Amino acid sequence: MDKLEAMRVYRHVVETQSFSRASELLGLPRSTVSRMIKDLENSLAVQLLQRTTRKLNVTSDGQNYYAECKKILGDIAALESSFPGKAGQPRGRFKIGMPQSLARHCILPGVAEFLERYPELELILCSSDRVVDLIQEGFDCVIRTGSVEDSTTLVARQLAQFKWSVLASPQYIARHGKPARIEDLKNHHAVGYLTHSTGRTTEWSFIDKDGVVPVRMKETLTVDDTDAYIQAGLQGIGLIRVASYLVKPYVEAGELLPCLEEHAVDMPLFLVYPQSRHVSPAVRAFYDWSKMVLGMQAVER
């Protein structure tokens, strides 16, 4: 049995959750894929997959083996990329994750150019506001805000830096005035943004001479969608606090006016990927491209 080929087949089965889909992607008969997985389990003397007529489940041993397979195969691909020629070109399945608002407003509008540049990549873009487990969920990399705590197994490289901006529509300011100090916020109300992971609305924070100041706003409306949140701010329902890259066009058009800019908290964006001796060609290519795209939109560097 070709162990590396079996590992490659196993990785595809786990990531597609299907023998049939894996066989299509690999260009192999389904019976060959099934036999290779069975031979692999026999050689390891463990059960990697639990098969039923309706579902394919990965066992605990299977998850651990998948993580190691992905690391080894990634190291091989990255090693080959260190040599000139076709071997160094990004290719194959490439799974990335990022916040929904970032995907919608910054990445997706230009992703066609990225795919044209690297036509041998099969890109899977997952947009979600939840924090994913890169290794267990099979991500090659994700874009995250803020610092990354797990520095022993993950690498974080900064892509850009934005601000958490507090904004109000001209109509709102005409009715309620513009807050000039953090203390003024007790006389204002805001649109709340519901975070499903906590079941609560997001608390605001600001930079002051004494450090970070948390503020819990009075909320007249609560939403759980970024576009709805911005629309509520545009309609003058209340103050909103969002990443500056989301509202740059509205600020430039005068439809939203920044408030308390001197107290705004920085919002760095990082590309995060599993620690490895070699960075894969796809991760390196996506880092360079996304850094360029986000850098063009950043208001603060």
Side-chain angles (χ1 to χ4, degrees):
M1 177 180 59
D2 185 333
K3 185 61 71 70
L4 282 177
E5 180 63 13
M7 292 168 68
R8 187 168 74 93
V9 169
Y10 176 67
R11 174 181 173 177
H12 274 77
V13 171
V14 172
E15 292 175 347
T16 61
Q17 292 289 292
S18 167
F19 281 88
S20 298
R21 178 60 178 150
S23 67
E24 291 173 6
L25 292 174
L26 293 165
L28 296 172
R30 188 187 185 284
S31 59
T32 300
V33 171
S34 181
R35 176 179 52 78
M36 292 180 73
I37 298 301
K38 192 64 179 176
D39 290 346
L40 187 60
E41 289 179 318
N42 290 337
S43 70
L44 296 169
V46 297
Q47 184 177 11
L48 301 173
L49 303 171
Q50 292 176 331
R51 307 158 181 81
T52 68
T53 55
R54 294 185 177 181
K55 194 173 182 181
L56 188 69
N57 293 316
V58 185
T59 66
S60 177
D61 287 330
Q63 287 285 5
N64 293 332
Y65 190 69
Y66 165 74
E68 291 302 318
C69 283
K70 185 171 181 178
K71 181 177 183 299
I72 291 169
L73 294 170
D75 283 345
I76 292 172
L79 178 61
E80 290 177 345
S81 74
S82 64
F83 298 98
K86 191 173 181 179
Q89 293 300 309
R91 60 164 53 84
R93 179 187 178 281
F94 182 53
K95 185 177 180 181
I96 59 176
M98 64 191 67
Q100 290 180 339
S101 58
L102 184 73
R104 185 182 303 131
H105 292 270
C106 298
I107 300 300
L108 285 174
V111 77
E113 187 273 335
F114 177 75
L115 292 173
E116 288 174 6
R117 189 182 300 183
Y118 304 106
E120 295 186 60
L121 274 182
E122 179 195 344
L123 182 63
I124 301 173
L125 194 159
C126 301
S127 58
S128 171
D129 292 331
R130 71 182 180 88
V131 178
V132 301
D133 186 315
L134 272 78
I135 296 174
Q136 292 297 323
E137 298 184 48
F139 283 89
D140 293 286
C141 61
V142 298
I143 297 179
R144 286 182 179 170
T145 60
S147 59
V148 177
E149 296 179 1
D150 187 2
S151 59
T152 58
T153 60
L154 301 176
V155 176
R157 297 182 65 187
Q158 186 165 339
L159 295 168
Q161 182 163 289
F162 297 91
K163 294 283 189 183
W164 284 111
S165 298
V166 173
L167 304 117
S169 69
Q171 305 96 297
Y172 177 90
I173 291 177
R175 291 196 303 269
H176 304 283
K178 182 177 181 179
R181 303 174 304 164
I182 297 175
E183 296 77 25
D184 294 342
L185 291 173
K186 64 179 180 292
N187 299 318
H188 288 264
H189 55 271
V191 181
Y193 188 87
L194 182 67
T195 303
H196 290 287
S197 60
T198 64
R200 302 184 62 199
T201 54
T202 305
E203 186 177 68
W204 292 8
S205 58
F206 299 90
I207 295 294
D208 203 0
K209 62 182 184 299
D210 298 321
V212 178
V213 178
V215 175
R216 175 59 66 179
M217 294 293 296
K218 292 180 290 186
E219 296 158 349
T220 54
L221 170 69
T222 296
V223 299
D224 64 352
D225 175 79
T226 302
D227 288 341
Y229 187 66
I230 294 172
Q231 284 301 315
L234 288 166
Q235 293 173 30
I237 295 174
L239 298 172
I240 60 174
R241 178 178 177 267
V242 294
S244 56
Y245 65 78
L246 291 175
V247 290
K248 190 176 180 181
Y250 303 113
V251 172
E252 291 174 346
E255 298 176 82
L256 288 173
L257 304 177
C259 306
L260 303 170
E261 292 180 273
E262 66 276 17
H263 298 292
V265 175
D266 288 334
M267 192 196 79
L269 291 178
F270 292 92
L271 187 72
V272 184
Y273 52 89
Q275 185 81 256
S276 175
R277 291 190 300 275
H278 304 282
V279 180
S280 77
V283 169
R284 186 182 297 114
F286 185 73
Y287 172 79
D288 292 339
W289 177 81
S290 57
K291 184 178 177 68
M292 176 194 68
V293 168
L294 293 170
M296 292 171 61
Q297 301 175 56
V299 295
E300 296 289 337
R301 296 293 295 170

